[in-house]
Amino acid sequence: MRVKFQPSGALVEVSEGTSLLAASHQAGVALESPCGGRGTCGKCRVIVDGDAGPLTDAEQRHLSLEEIQAGYRLACQAVVASDLLVRVPEGSQVYSVSILSQGLTREVALEPWVRRATLYVPPSTLEDQASDLAALQKAWQQQGFDDLSVSLGALRRLPAALRQDDGLVTLILADGELIEILPGVDEGPVLGLAYDIGTTTIVGYLLDLTTGRELAVASLLNPQTQYGDDVVSRIQHITAVPNGLQQLQDAVVGAINRIATDACRQAGVPADCVYGMTAVGNTTMQHLLLGVDPSALARSPYVPVVAEAVSIPAQRLGLAIHPEAHVWALASIAGWVGADTVGVILATGQHQADEISLAIDIGTNGEMTLGSRQRLVACSTAAGPAFEGAHLSCGMRAASGAIDQVSIDGDVHWRTIQNTPPRGICGSGLVDLVAQMLDAEILRESGMMHDAQHLTDLGQSALAARIRSEGRHRAFDLVLPQEGADGRPVRVSQRDIRELQLAKGAIRAGIEILLDELGIGHADVARVYLAGAFGNYIRPESALRIGLMPAFPNAEIVPVGNAAGSGAKLALLSQSARDETRDIVRLVEYLELSILPEFQDQFAASMVF
Ligand code: FES
């Protein structure tokens, strides 16, 4: 049957019974699907013309009567039962997200583990019939080096390279292995790519390994989001679908290749001159890159298959760079504190500093590390999705149309990313909103919303008019229907506030437990690093107002941007920095919050605003 999607005009033929979400994947139409098609998020709304099967319970729960009458369906629930015309409203389209690429870093000496060398290999003679490989080894050793390991690809290219320029050759070595041999003195580029593979976004940095210069940066929304916005949804996809693991690996490898192509095109260099690559990501992302099943991470005792650094040739992963480029997936600290946290520590230098610092990285998870070179402790909370919008009725990623700043001064003012009509609210906007709602007495410290009468009594009639009753619960119209994209309001429900409370309570509790573990107080912390997009865009005063973090009276608050990506770059440019990641993994003590008896009390105490 034929399904046509509007406004893109994409047309696909699928068999009867295919879900509209699956049909949209085949058509290359990107639909919001944070729950991965389980019918729980209600975000994959489309307007259908034709027979799309009976309404499911999930649709009855998520769609209003008016929406059903207007032809709205949930794409993951509706199925193709006739030829269909499917309109994707703005709110369901996946927009390119704002991706934070730059981050704080520290200086390291340029000392890459991929390097170039030239060598003269005297030709063999009838008197000395040494093999090509033996002649190469001998010439290399005469330069004062140990035996050279040679990849199969380099061995295959060895005879032609040796004979083309009378024995003068250029060698490309990765971790001491010869992976490329070129005739004569070759001064072509020697490149590396460093990747930060986030649950939501992937960023790649193209570096010239002979100068250390960054040549290009490219990024994409992680295409695995079609299988769910958070790592748990993706792990569930692996369990539910026979080739789910392969689908997820193909998705990340495809994105890495597109980023590599884009970055090389920007810099005007060939991708087969990329001889080294580093990757940091949370532990699940590292597993999926390698095609290793991460399912055990979702079950107690939450152990990874591999936490150690892994090096593999690019061709084994299907990467479109030099086939024998060395790819380093950096080591993780624990199942839920991954190589991205190692990257943050490497970039901020927490592991080498005498002063005590706290690093907070809030993405789809929240990871925190506290300490100094003496002792460094880390924990993780599964709190992030609320900050990235996935679990909120009005939430969305930091993309075009997301409200990212709010102020309330008798009326409500907001700003959207790219100044387009508001479609929802992203994490930094939500933190702002709640801080402002507290100050305006729309919210109690307990998180309960006041009724409209309370605001009327305060003389705030404009705010009172925005309070709605939804069953037994209240909601607040941040954006009125006539102001929103598709004529829809952005309505923050009591449940949304509750989700934020749970998330911020878990993060705050984690911070307090780390402080207790080190036996220090708020005044002992000299620096607070806020990592990741959320940390970069959040207003610190709003984070303090809602109690996401305590006031650190002596601390400098430093937004460090994509510090995980900076760590990946350092590990590419410097052998010593890459070696430091091993020290970091040894130094960091991981605290599993769920088994600490004090966590529940601390969590409950941290819930109030
Ligand atoms: S409800 Fe359809 S993807 Fe979540």
Side-chain angles (χ1 to χ4, degrees):
M1 287 173 169
R2 289 149 66 89
V3 183
K4 185 168 186 178
F5 289 90
Q6 294 289 27
S8 71
L11 185 70
V12 273
E13 288 196 14
V14 295
S15 27
E16 186 174 359
T18 306
S19 80
L20 295 191
L21 188 60
S24 74
H25 291 164
Q26 285 184 38
V29 172
L31 277 183
E32 286 289 355
S33 51
C35 74
R38 273 172 286 280
T40 55
C41 70
K43 302 264 169 102
C44 58
R45 289 156 197 260
V46 290
I47 304 162
V48 179
D49 188 358
D51 185 359
L55 281 174
T56 66
D57 289 349
E59 290 177 297
Q60 311 265 17
R61 270 197 309 279
H62 287 290
L63 299 173
S64 67
L65 202 55
E66 298 80 60
E67 287 175 321
I68 292 169
Q69 282 165 353
Y72 274 89
R73 300 292 303 262
L74 293 184
C76 67
Q77 303 293 305
V79 292
V80 179
S82 71
D83 287 351
L84 295 177
L85 183 64
V86 177
R87 194 163 77 76
V88 183
E90 273 199 27
S92 305
Q93 293 172 20
V94 174
Y95 286 73
S96 59
V97 288
S98 310
I99 298 177
L100 180 68
S101 55
Q102 293 312 324
L104 170 133
T105 191
R106 64 191 173 100
E107 295 276 313
V108 292
L110 179 63
E111 182 208 341
W113 40 270
V114 171
R115 67 185 190 92
R116 172 167 53 198
T118 49
L119 187 69
Y120 172 63
V121 182
S124 297
T125 60
L126 281 173
E127 289 72 33
D128 178 8
Q129 293 181 323
S131 69
D132 286 355
L133 181 59
L136 175 79
Q137 294 284 15
K138 187 172 169 194
W140 183 247
Q141 284 162 6
Q142 280 171 350
Q143 301 289 316
F145 298 113
D146 292 339
D147 243 15
L148 192 60
S149 77
V150 180
S151 74
L152 182 59
L155 190 61
R156 287 175 177 158
R157 290 182 288 279
L158 176 63
L162 280 185
R163 285 164 183 82
Q164 194 171 320
D165 206 350
D166 298 326
L168 190 61
V169 287
T170 299
L171 314 179
I172 306 288
L173 304 137
D175 289 311
E177 182 192 33
L178 178 67
I179 60 169
E180 182 58 280
I181 182 163
L182 301 157
V185 177
D186 188 285
E187 290 182 341
V190 179
L191 307 170
L193 274 162
Y195 280 91
D196 171 30
I197 303 175
T199 310
T200 307
T201 56
I202 303 179
V203 186
Y205 306 86
L206 179 67
L207 303 178
D208 181 329
L209 299 181
T210 62
T211 62
R213 241 173 21 101
E214 186 173 296
L215 302 180
V217 184
S219 57
L220 280 177
L221 182 73
N222 187 335
Q224 293 174 342
T225 49
Q226 66 186 285
Y227 305 108
D229 267 12
D230 53 72
V231 294
V232 174
S233 306
R234 295 185 203 166
I235 290 174
Q236 284 168 352
H237 179 77
I238 292 170
T239 319
V241 177
N243 67 339
L245 177 59
Q246 189 64 52
Q247 287 177 328
L248 287 161
Q249 192 197 16
D250 289 348
V252 69
V253 167
I256 287 174
N257 283 339
R258 286 199 295 283
I259 287 171
T261 306
D262 183 15
C264 289
R265 187 189 44 73
Q266 286 179 44
V269 292
D272 61 0
C273 290
V274 175
Y275 300 109
M277 178 180 139
T278 50
V280 300
N282 63 50
T283 314
T284 305
M285 291 303 113
Q286 301 285 89
H287 279 56
L288 294 178
L289 169 65
L290 301 174
V292 173
D293 187 347
S295 301
L297 288 169
R299 292 189 298 267
S300 178
Y302 314 111
V303 291
V305 177
V306 55
E308 293 70 19
V310 174
S311 168
I312 21 174
Q315 63 193 352
R316 295 284 299 277
L317 293 177
L319 295 177
I321 53 178
H322 189 283
E324 284 167 285
H326 284 204
V327 178
W328 278 86
L330 297 190
S332 303
I333 292 166
W336 291 90
V337 181
D340 46 357
T341 301
V342 174
V344 171
I345 298 171
L346 187 63
T348 56
Q350 271 191 300
H351 62 301
Q352 292 179 332
D354 289 317
E355 62 185 17
I356 289 174
S357 61
L358 169 70
I360 309 176
D361 189 355
I362 303 175
T364 40
N365 264 307
E367 291 102 25
M368 287 140 306
T369 52
L370 175 75
S372 64
R373 58 196 288 266
Q374 312 294 342
R375 202 174 162 211
L376 203 49
V377 287
C379 68
S380 166
T381 67
F387 292 116
E388 295 218 333
H391 286 196
L392 308 178
S393 63
C394 60
M396 63 178 287
R397 296 187 200 101
S400 157
I403 295 172
D404 65 344
Q405 273 190 21
V406 179
S407 64
I408 298 178
D409 60 0
D411 205 352
V412 177
H413 310 277
W414 32 257
R415 187 186 79 175
T416 62
I417 294 176
Q418 293 175 4
N419 290 320
T420 53
R423 299 192 291 130
I425 189 165
C426 65
S428 58
L430 185 67
V431 171
D432 252 11
L433 172 67
V434 170
Q436 297 283 312
M437 287 172 83
L438 287 163
D439 284 346
E441 287 196 43
I442 302 167
L443 276 185
R444 296 187 167 100
E445 308 285 308
S446 68
M448 290 298 289
M449 231 180 263
H450 280 289
D451 60 12
Q453 188 58 49
H454 176 77
L455 290 162
T456 306
D457 293 347
L458 291 174
Q460 300 286 1
S461 50
L463 299 180
R466 289 173 180 264
I467 303 281
R468 298 264 165 275
S469 281
E470 292 188 328
R472 285 183 295 118
H473 298 293
R474 299 195 179 109
F476 182 76
D477 275 354
L478 172 60
V479 173
L480 303 171
Q482 61 272 24
E483 301 167 321
D486 297 326
R488 290 164 61 93
V490 176
R491 186 165 289 168
V492 184
S493 67
Q494 185 67 64
R495 183 174 298 173
D496 293 339
I497 305 285
R498 183 81 180 156
E499 286 282 351
L500 178 75
Q501 259 184 306
L502 291 169
K504 84 101 188 171
I507 287 170
R508 175 66 182 268
I511 294 171
E512 298 296 341
I513 283 178
L514 292 182
L515 289 162
D516 283 353
E517 178 65 26
L518 290 188
I520 59 174
H522 300 154
D524 296 313
V525 176
R527 258 160 209 265
V528 177
Y529 296 112
L530 297 178
F534 179 74
N536 221 54
Y537 298 125
I538 194 174
R539 282 204 278 210
E541 59 271 27
S542 295
L544 290 171
R545 176 64 184 92
I546 72 163
L548 174 64
M549 59 183 188
F552 292 103
N554 301 320
E556 182 191 1
I557 295 187
V558 190
V560 291
N562 188 355
S566 301
K569 286 193 268 184
L570 292 175
L572 182 62
L573 291 174
S574 160
Q575 166 86 51
S576 312
R578 198 183 68 187
D579 292 347
E580 277 175 43
T581 61
R582 281 195 212 112
D583 304 335
I584 290 170
V585 171
R586 265 196 299 270
L587 174 68
V588 176
E589 299 164 42
Y590 171 65
L591 298 186
E592 173 57 51
L593 295 179
S594 65
I595 56 166
L596 296 177
E598 62 270 35
F599 178 68
Q600 280 312 325
D601 291 344
Q602 193 61 260
F603 181 44
S606 300
M607 290 266 288
V608 289
F609 287 121

